[in-house]
Amino acid sequence: QVQLVESGGGLVQAGGSLRLSCAASGSIFGVNVMAWFRQAPGKQREWVANIDRGGSTNFADSVKGRFTISRDNAKNTVYLQMNSLKPEDTAVYICNAVTRATSYWGQGTQVTVSS
């Protein structure tokens, strides 16, 4: 089992920045990929970014150039740095951990961007 706890969400004005954290605990040795997803009210959950064991990253086109993802293996934590935020970035941001067998999800943290 892997437990994921997100933090760092909040209210920010358009153009501002936030850094989200996802702290992992439990059987983290089996985790291959860590990712961030988001879900806005009335919309489907969408993938935002991911980072693998080797540090390779991928981003959705909607956040490319504005968001970065990183990991601190010593702290078992993944970060999502969000810059130049837009109102359309408003959503619950959810951390995801993928092993060979399954996928784990956190509870999410709310990000609200005001115009």
Side-chain angles (χ1 to χ4, degrees), residues 20 62 64 67 69 78:
L20 306 183
S62 58
K64 203 171 290 183
F67 290 10
I69 187 171
V78 172

Side-chain angles (χ1 to χ4, degrees), residues 16-29:
S17 298
L18 281 175
R19 189 177 80 154
L20 306 183
S21 300
C22 172
S25 60
S27 302
I28 57 175
F29 59 87

Side-chain angles (χ1 to χ4, degrees), residues 57-75:
T57 60
N58 294 283
F59 298 91
D61 287 344
S62 58
V63 306
K64 203 171 290 183
R66 299 187 298 121
F67 290 10
T68 58
I69 187 171
S70 60
R71 63 194 298 168
D72 184 333
N73 291 328
K75 295 182 179 180

